[in-house]
Structures are given as C-alpha cells and as structure tokens.
Amino acid sequence: MPAVFSMHSLRTALAAACLVLAPQLYAQSVAFSFDDGPSLAETPRLSPQARNDAMLAALAKHKVKAALFVTAGNGAIKPEGLALARAWGQAGHVVGNHTMTHPDLDSAKVSLAQYQQEVLDCDRIIAALPGYQRWFRFTFLREGNTPDKRNGMRSFLRQQDYRNAYVTLDTSDWRLNDKLVEVLEKNPQASAADLEPIRQAYLAHLRQRALAYRALAQRLQGRDIPQMLLLHHNLINALWLDDVVKQFKDMQWTIITPAQAYADPVYALNPERAAPGQSLLLSMGRSLGLSTQDLGLRLMDDGDFEIDALKQQGL
Ligand SMILES: [Zn+2]
C-alpha cells in the first residue's frame, strides 16, 4: 500500500521539520530557476543571443545565482546554443538537465526507457559545461502516469546520482510570454506603454503565486520554506526579469542560491503525486488528502485570471 507508506513518511518528515526549525528565525527566501533553455527559437524584439544576455545581465545586476535547466533540443545540441548554456555556467549559475526534446512522461506514448534515454542524452551534452550539476527537472513537472514509470524514474535518478530538482513556486510565466509574443507579432511597433498592461499582469501574477505558495508552505509545514521558483528561458524574462527580481526584493524576500534552497529537508520528500504537473507543495497537500478547492484554484489555473483581465483590456 504505497499511499499509506507515503502518508506516514511524509507526516513524519513534516513533524521533524517543524520541531527542528523555528519559523520566526527565517525570513522568506526564494531561489530562481529557468527551464527549457537555452532557446534558439526566433521571437519578436530580441535575438536568441540577446535574450540570453538580457537574462544573465538582470541576474548579474542583482547578484542572483540561479539554475538553468537545459532542454538540449531547444538549442544546446548546436554549437551556438551550447555557447548560450555555457555562459550561464561561466556566470556562476547551475546547469541542470531537462531532457533532449521535452517529452511528457504522463503520455501513454512515452515509455520509461525512452524518457530515461532522453535524460542520458541531455546529460552527455551538458556534462562538460561549467556549473553542471546532476539535477533533473521533470518536464511539465510530471513524474509519470503509472506507478511503474514514477517508481522507475525515482530509482533511475538514485542510480544516476541525480537529484529531483523540485519546484515549489510554480508560475505560468510561459502563458504570459505567449500573450506578449502574440501582441508583438500583431503589432511589432508596440511601445513600452502598449506593453505595460502585460508587464503589470506578469508581476501581479508572480506576486499572487508567491504569496499563495508561501501561505501553503506555512499551512503544510508550519513554517516558511525556501521556495524554488520556476520561470522559463523566454522573451518575457529577457525583457522584465530585472523587474521580477526587484519585486521579490520589495516584498522583503531574500534571494538564495538553488543549492541553498535544496539543502532544506522539504526537498528530500517523495510525496505521492495524485495530480501531476504541479508544485511539490501541491503534491504534498494532495498526499495529505486536501482537495483542489481546498488548495486554491488560482495555484493551478495557468494564469487564466491574468489572461482574462488582459482580454478585457483589448489585449
Ligand atoms: Zn519544461
């Protein structure tokens, strides 16, 4: 009965963590991670190199050390894409693994063996880069649609000495990025003022998710945990990452390295994943029997709230 085993070990770990760490001693902290990069896809406004440079410049300006999770097929399989990934490692960021072609392990068409091969193939491409760590970020945050796949990946990652690079602060930056690109494709001359509603919606979205996941961590763990933020290697972050970092600082959150975040015992948990594709905190909540309604729909709505508000503004 895996559910019983998992509930028990999860509760034990939760209780131990609560006893050891007094919440008031710790300010809220967050580490930054970027998936699906580096991307050589064309977008309006900035070249792939310029997007990469802009994200790295924003991180450097704020002295933030982040993690890049490489989907090699998006760029790193080519020398010019690998150079973009190398720039992250050279700047002191972690370079981790996010497969070759971003398959979905929850798809019946993707076998466990295929998925494992994707991890190994990506590893071969990134292993020589500076900053390389054996950290694996599941694509779509989905760990498999069958127990065999999920357990198979858990033992594979252990054998390969790979960490499951969990996310706790999940966002829909990709959805707002899609909207930004769509608006710029329709109106290449759009001014900063034209784009301001999207920038505001993006920042408001991240703030809402940050506060909601902080509240969920307090509820599940009885304390603030170091949050692992998921963003993507995309145009919206090339344009506005500086504002994103500033907003966290204005909220009095401390920005830490991904390694500092993963040192917290919460990231060693292996909760049951009743619903895939989501934050470790949602998996923990579901493993404890909390419903979607109870956990909060706006943690899982793919940014629908912000997209609907932008539509009402004619965007
Ligand atoms: Zn991804």
Side-chain angles (χ1 to χ4, degrees), residues 157-173:
L157 293 178
R158 266 196 309 276
Q159 283 159 16
Q160 294 289 328
D161 199 23
Y162 252 95
R163 157 186 289 285
N164 179 343
Y166 283 121
V167 169
T168 57
L169 210 178
D170 186 20
T171 78
S172 300
D173 70 323

Side-chain angles (χ1 to χ4, degrees), residues 17-166:
C18 291
L19 283 175
V20 172
L21 298 164
Q24 65 274 19
L25 297 179
Y26 293 83
Q28 176 62 63
S29 58
V30 62
F32 280 59
S33 68
F34 297 83
D35 283 9
D36 300 7
S39 168
L40 291 176
E42 293 301 325
T43 67
R45 292 286 155 108
L46 296 176
S47 70
Q49 174 83 54
R51 292 197 303 274
N52 204 61
D53 290 349
M55 281 179 264
L56 288 173
L59 294 172
K61 178 180 165 189
H62 294 283
K63 300 188 167 53
V64 172
K65 299 296 183 204
L68 174 70
F69 288 93
V70 173
T71 300
N74 287 354
I77 43 170
K78 295 184 180 169
E80 62 270 34
L82 192 62
L84 300 185
R86 182 175 293 113
W88 284 72
Q90 282 168 341
H93 305 294
V94 169
V95 176
N97 187 323
H98 196 48
T99 75
M100 281 296 283
T101 67
H102 213 278
D104 180 358
L105 189 56
D106 276 17
S107 162
K109 292 181 190 144
V110 177
S111 72
L112 176 62
Q114 266 176 300
Y115 198 82
Q116 290 173 345
Q117 195 58 49
E118 287 260 347
V119 179
L120 295 173
D121 289 346
C122 179
D123 187 86
R124 255 196 302 280
I125 288 172
I126 63 174
L129 293 176
Y132 164 76
Q133 295 277 346
R134 295 176 83 80
W135 290 4
F136 180 65
R137 172 72 47 83
F138 277 92
T139 46
F140 306 100
L141 307 180
R142 292 177 190 150
E143 295 188 28
N145 57 327
T146 66
D148 279 355
K149 282 184 179 177
R150 195 198 64 183
N151 297 337
M153 275 308 289
R154 284 183 176 175
S155 58
F156 171 79
L157 293 178
R158 266 196 309 276
Q159 283 159 16
Q160 294 289 328
D161 199 23
Y162 252 95
R163 157 186 289 285
N164 179 343
Y166 283 121

Side-chain angles (χ1 to χ4, degrees), residues 6 41 67 85 103 138 169 173 207 253 262:
S6 166
F138 277 92
L169 210 178
D173 70 323
R207 187 182 165 84
W253 285 39
Y262 284 142

